Amino acid sequence: MEWYRLKLMGLKSSKIRVLMAECQRYNDIFIKLEELIETLNLTKDDTDLILNSKKCEKYLEMMDYLEKNKIGLLDINDYRYPENLKNIAKPPLFLFYKGNIELLNKERLISIIGTRRATKYGELGCEKIVKDLVDGDVVVVSGLALGIDSIAHNETLKYKGNTVAVLGCGIDIYYPKTNISLRKEIEKNGVVISEFPLGMNPTPGNFPIRNRIIAGLSKGTIIIESSLKGGSLITANLSLEEGRDVFALPGDITYPFSQGCNNLIKLSQAKLLTSGEDILNEYNWSKKNREGEKLNKLIGIKLKIYNTLKTKMHLEEIKREISCNTSELLSNLMELEIEGYVQSLPAGYYRRRL
């Protein structure tokens, strides 16, 4: 973490990067500083910044803040730094994090991104994909933005899965405000990360920088609804440049926010995706036997309702099969929906979720 002293002193990231490549530890710089000055062409200003970093008061203040707020800091030489991220063109030198940092080195990481203005089709598609991924023990990576990002995080947490939120601002900045409670839940049950310095507010230029981390952490990236010039396509292109897989949910050819996904598929830049199982099959990842375990917990009228719902059915159709009064049936359907077994649809229809 002491490498961050150089960042706080204002030494250029390019200079810090070469120093970190030459020295395993921060203190090693001072053991062979004269040699480094010559081999790396360090200027007098560079050298002064390096020497003064040993007495950097800002670093002590920052470390105190991080400790009080339970925020961690990784540098690229740390053994916990994610291997996937090391392999991109310009990996971040530093990562602030809050939560379970071990998730970043899991084998199964898939990112899900998309428009902030998701349609009902996009929401349902995202929910279906996420559930399959969680059943396959996949860590879901996204950007904590409104729309598809939020749905991906929320659905992962709902099914007790693991999720990573990559920020486009400093880790001490809570943005967007509407996602504060979601972010706090991710901090407890996943991990939130940022390469931006403390106090950095979100700006349009930050998000393409953030997106390279989303792509870099993941084995593949899923695009769910995007316009032809959407920010999600930036991440798709970054994924392709880094040799990662891209998947896209096809959509209505008349709808603007389906054009980006459809075009990626049309140009063979993305593989067509209709479920999370497509991802599991692509990488030969096994699916956990959660469904059988959950269904074994159903008893009585709930089990009867579930067994009856072999296809989409109207409330009156279910009532005829179950033979119970409407209030009792509605009460049990509501409980089944809360527990994740059943989904209510418009006009009084229901279907299974498992």
Side-chain angles (χ1 to χ4, degrees):
M1 289 191 293
E2 287 199 296
W3 285 106
Y4 207 78
R5 292 173 179 269
L6 301 173
K7 181 82 171 176
L8 290 171
M9 291 302 299
L11 189 65
K12 290 182 179 179
S13 293
S14 58
K15 296 289 177 72
I16 300 175
R17 193 177 296 277
V18 293
L19 284 170
M20 294 181 80
E22 291 289 329
C23 305
Q24 183 62 32
R25 298 173 302 170
Y26 166 77
N27 286 329
D28 293 343
I29 299 172
F30 307 100
I31 297 172
K32 53 180 183 178
L33 184 55
E34 289 186 13
E35 177 188 334
L36 292 169
I37 291 171
E38 185 177 342
T39 57
L40 303 180
N41 294 318
L42 297 175
T43 66
K44 184 181 184 303
D45 287 343
D46 293 335
T47 307
D48 288 343
L49 290 174
I50 292 168
L51 290 170
N52 291 332
S53 71
K54 293 168 70 174
K55 297 178 286 186
C56 180
E57 293 184 5
K58 284 184 180 179
Y59 176 75
L60 298 177
E61 292 171 4
M62 186 191 77
M63 293 308 296
D64 185 55
Y65 177 86
L66 296 183
E67 185 178 356
K68 286 179 179 177
N69 291 277
K70 298 181 179 178
I71 297 170
L73 175 61
L74 288 182
D75 64 62
I76 198 168
N77 285 345
D78 194 301
Y79 74 94
R80 297 168 299 169
Y81 191 94
E83 285 297 321
N84 280 349
L85 203 54
K86 276 185 181 179
N87 296 325
I88 68 173
K90 283 191 177 180
L93 293 176
F94 304 100
L95 284 176
F96 292 94
Y97 69 90
K98 193 166 186 179
N100 182 7
I101 194 64
E102 293 180 5
L103 294 179
L104 301 185
N105 271 307
K106 293 288 187 180
E107 178 194 358
R108 304 181 181 190
L109 285 103
I110 294 291
S111 55
I112 299 180
I113 54 174
T115 180
R116 286 171 168 78
R117 291 177 280 180
T119 65
K120 191 65 180 176
Y121 167 76
E123 292 176 11
L124 291 173
C126 187
E127 290 169 5
K128 182 178 188 297
I129 289 166
V130 168
K131 186 192 175 302
D132 290 341
L133 293 180
V134 172
D135 285 340
D137 202 25
V138 174
V139 179
V140 174
V141 181
S142 198
L144 200 63
L146 301 178
I148 293 299
D149 288 22
S150 297
I151 295 165
H153 289 307
N154 271 310
E155 288 297 302
T156 304
L157 292 168
K158 184 171 90 174
Y159 291 111
K160 310 299 181 186
N162 296 311
T163 189
V164 178
V166 186
L167 306 182
C169 56
I171 201 164
D172 57 331
I173 305 296
Y174 280 77
Y175 173 86
K177 297 296 184 185
T178 51
N179 275 351
I180 288 177
S181 60
L182 172 59
R183 173 171 161 179
K184 288 182 176 178
E185 190 174 354
I186 296 172
E187 291 173 353
K188 291 179 182 177
N189 300 295
V191 64
V192 176
I193 65 172
S194 173
E195 73 168 311
F196 295 104
L198 298 179
M200 171 69 80
N201 287 310
T203 63
N206 287 358
F207 294 100
I209 297 171
R210 182 274 310 267
N211 291 348
R212 89 187 195 290
I213 296 180
I214 293 176
L217 282 172
S218 311
K219 193 170 183 67
T221 296
I222 298 170
I223 315 294
I224 298 178
E225 293 194 315
S226 172
S227 67
L228 282 173
K229 294 184 179 180
S232 300
L233 296 192
I234 295 174
T235 311
N237 289 328
L238 289 167
S239 297
L240 293 170
E241 287 171 9
E242 298 295 345
R244 311 295 167 89
D245 297 316
V246 177
F247 305 86
L249 182 74
D252 186 337
I253 62 172
T254 66
Y255 190 68
F257 288 104
S258 291
Q259 291 178 9
C261 290
N262 291 345
N263 202 49
L264 285 170
I265 296 167
K266 180 181 178 180
L267 297 175
S268 299
Q269 293 177 326
K271 300 176 184 181
L272 187 149
L273 182 79
T274 58
S275 70
E277 289 194 3
D278 291 341
I279 298 288
L280 304 184
N281 293 333
E282 177 75 19
Y283 299 120
N284 198 26
W285 290 341
S286 59
K287 193 172 183 180
K288 291 188 291 187
N289 190 26
R290 290 186 175 186
E291 293 183 11
E293 292 174 4
K294 286 192 75 175
L295 294 179
N296 286 337
K297 296 178 183 178
L298 288 179
I299 58 173
I301 190 170
K302 286 185 181 179
L303 181 59
K304 289 181 181 178
I305 293 170
Y306 185 85
N307 288 336
T308 299
L309 276 173
K310 293 177 182 177
T311 60
K312 183 177 79 171
M313 295 178 68
H314 193 272
L315 179 66
E316 293 302 320
E317 295 177 284
I318 304 170
K319 186 179 174 183
R320 285 197 294 270
E321 295 290 331
I322 300 299
S323 299
C324 69
N325 62 54
T326 302
S327 61
E328 184 181 6
L329 179 57
L330 284 170
S331 175
N332 280 281
L333 280 168
M334 184 180 297
E335 289 182 23
L336 284 167
E337 185 168 17
I338 292 169
E339 292 164 0
Y341 296 97
V342 167
Q343 180 182 12
S344 60
L345 300 172
Y349 284 88
Y350 293 84
R351 69 172 177 86
R352 290 182 181 179
R353 291 200 71 159
L354 291 180

